[in-house]
Amino acid sequence: MPSARRALAVALAAFLLLSALLSAAPAAVADPPPPRVELSAPQAGKGRDITVSGSGWRPRTLLMLLVCGRATPAKGVVGGTNSCANADGRAVTTGSTGSFSKKVPVAEPPVPCPCVVHVATVMGEQQAVDAVFVVAGHPTAPLPEQTGGGRLAVLTSTRLEGDSGLLVFFGAPPARTLEFTVGNLGTDPVQDPVFQIGTAHGLFAPQWEEQQWRGTVRPGEKARITLPVQLPAGAHGDYSISVKYGTKVLAEQPWGVPRPWGVTVFWVLLALVVPAALFRIGMAVVDKVRPPDPRHARPSRRRGATATATADGTASDTAAALPWLMPDAAPCAPSVSSAPSTPGAPSTTSAPSAPSENRPTTKGHS
């Protein structure tokens, strides 16, 4: 009997161990490997190209590749993308396996090295990897000291200062300046703090962008912070601007952006002007290629012949159609000589003219 109980206990323990192993195996398999980035060369000068390749990223994900200064893989990019050569950055989309390969031109960042090639996702869950890179000939400076005793808190409400220009009415990116006051509640000064500005549209998650403020906030003091905020071109609707320092969201500010009606007016005018211009051009082409109509050509020749006949002294069609305008359609008046009359000279009055053949005769006379 004890042996039976011992066997049952062993079987139960084996069953529990097997169940634990089976439940832990899928979890171990489900953990994806961390994203990785490799460079074709660890050092290059300005104007050269390097190949950046990576693996372990999410499939079909848009990535941005930047050469940034004042950064290390351990501390990240101090100052955010303001420390990167944004004009020479590149974008790439990962494949179905989460890998990519892209050539990136080497450019000098606006701040000194140490430098890295910064690879980060554009949308969705934030993922970023920094690979050490040396820009040949670019100056190098130590990273600013970061103390952990400082603690910032927002003391006043945030405000968006500025207004939209005329170009925003036609779809230009809206821009504002986010202003707020922070105080250092810690025991150590905070030098050149790096804030994260998040922009969210409607119910979507905010897109974060790092921005560095130049200055030092000493313990017990406060400072006025101003950070630029810009939305994409054509943005309109209800937006929310968030400010985060470290892992804590300090404040949020709503922003209602009006619709750029200038773009709508432009497309409406384009829809009206283009068809009208095409119609006019088409009518001009038809008039050029259409053969002349004979019905319009005969009257012009008849008018030309009439004008020629009139110039030669012959009777015109109009004169023939109007007999009362003929010279002999009315009795002629006696003509008087223009010469002065002398006493005793015979009279020079002319005799009445004979009736014309075309003159109508009275009834009973031939």
Side-chain angles (χ1 to χ4, degrees):
M1 194 71 175
S3 61
R5 291 180 179 179
R6 189 180 300 107
L8 181 60
V10 172
L12 181 60
F15 176 76
L16 293 177
L17 181 61
L18 182 62
S19 300
L21 292 176
L22 292 177
S23 60
V29 174
D31 293 337
R36 296 181 303 171
V37 172
E38 296 180 357
L39 306 179
S40 60
Q43 178 178 350
K46 179 182 178 181
R48 303 290 297 274
D49 292 338
I50 59 173
T51 301
V52 182
S53 56
S55 60
W57 297 83
R58 293 195 305 269
R60 309 297 181 186
T61 303
L62 181 62
L63 305 177
M64 63 176 180
L65 291 73
L66 300 171
V67 177
C68 303
R70 195 175 290 167
T72 60
K75 294 185 177 182
V77 181
V78 179
T81 55
N82 293 332
S83 302
C84 304
N86 298 309
D88 298 294
R90 292 294 183 267
V92 65
T93 303
T94 59
S96 58
T97 60
S99 60
F100 71 91
S101 180
K102 183 72 174 180
K103 282 189 176 182
V104 178
V106 177
E108 294 183 351
V111 294
C113 285
C115 298
V116 298
V117 174
H118 181 71
V119 182
T121 56
V122 178
M123 301 180 64
E125 183 182 355
Q126 183 69 22
Q127 287 183 324
V129 175
D130 297 324
V132 177
F133 182 69
V134 178
V135 180
H138 193 63
T140 303
L143 294 177
E145 296 182 0
Q146 300 289 335
T147 58
R151 186 162 56 92
L152 298 181
V154 175
L155 303 180
T156 60
S157 59
T158 58
R159 293 189 304 171
L160 288 173
E161 298 293 336
D163 54 357
S164 300
L166 181 62
L167 295 179
V168 178
F169 183 73
F170 293 94
R176 292 289 189 276
T177 300
L178 183 65
E179 297 184 357
F180 56 96
T181 301
V182 298
N184 189 356
L185 306 180
T187 58
D188 295 330
V190 178
Q191 182 180 3
D192 298 337
V194 178
F195 297 92
Q196 295 186 23
I197 304 299
T199 57
H201 186 202
L203 300 177
F204 292 96
Q207 301 294 327
W208 298 99
E209 179 183 0
E210 293 182 349
Q211 294 190 14
Q212 186 178 23
W213 180 75
R214 301 291 182 179
T216 302
V217 184
R218 300 187 181 278
E221 296 183 356
K222 60 182 180 179
R224 189 69 175 173
I225 308 297
T226 58
L227 300 174
V229 180
Q230 181 172 324
L231 299 179
H236 63 276
D238 297 330
Y239 281 81
S240 178
I241 308 301
S242 305
V243 182
K244 184 167 64 173
Y245 179 71
T247 59
K248 180 182 179 182
V249 178
L250 301 179
E252 293 183 358
Q253 176 68 31
W255 184 6
V257 183
R259 182 182 293 272
W261 290 108
V263 179
T264 305
V265 174
F266 170 77
W267 286 113
V268 170
L269 293 178
L270 189 65
L272 295 176
V273 171
V274 170
L278 293 178
F279 177 77
R280 295 293 299 271
I281 295 174
M283 294 302 297
V285 172
V286 169
D287 291 341
K288 288 290 185 180
V289 302
R290 183 174 56 186
D293 193 350
R295 291 178 297 178
H296 298 284
R298 288 198 194 97
S300 61
R301 289 196 297 268
R302 185 181 297 113
R303 285 194 296 269
T306 303
T308 305
T310 305
D312 295 339
T314 60
S316 63
D317 295 342
T318 306
L322 303 175
W324 56 84
L325 297 180
M326 297 291 292
D328 46 358
C332 297
S335 60
V336 181
S337 176
S338 61
S341 61
T342 56
S347 176
T348 60
T349 58
S350 60
S353 61
S356 173
E357 294 179 357
N358 297 329
R359 183 176 182 182
T361 57
T362 57
K363 184 177 183 181
H365 293 81
S366 59

